[in-house]
Amino acid sequence: MPDFSKYSPRAPHGIGARLLIALVVLHVGAALYHQFGRRDGLLRRMWFGK
């Protein structure tokens, strides 16, 4: 097992936060690509009330 005492506790938290932000940005980008690039009405299908 590695020695975790030499890593600050903020390092894994920061890495996880950056990965989560990247995932959200990728997800929004993919939704916009489907809406405006492929024009398949994705956002209309995901909207409430239909």
Side-chain angles (χ1 to χ4, degrees):
M1 294 293 293
D3 181 20
F4 288 109
S5 65
K6 62 183 174 181
Y7 299 111
S8 85
R10 296 178 67 183
H13 184 81
I15 293 170
R18 289 180 192 262
L19 287 173
L20 184 61
I21 290 170
L23 183 64
V24 168
V25 168
L26 182 67
H27 195 84
V28 169
L32 291 175
Y33 165 72
H34 273 272
Q35 180 66 28
F36 299 113
R38 295 186 63 175
R39 297 194 183 275
D40 58 2
L42 178 74
L43 295 179
R44 185 181 20 155
R45 288 183 297 173
M46 289 174 35
W47 199 249
F48 301 106
K50 287 199 171 196

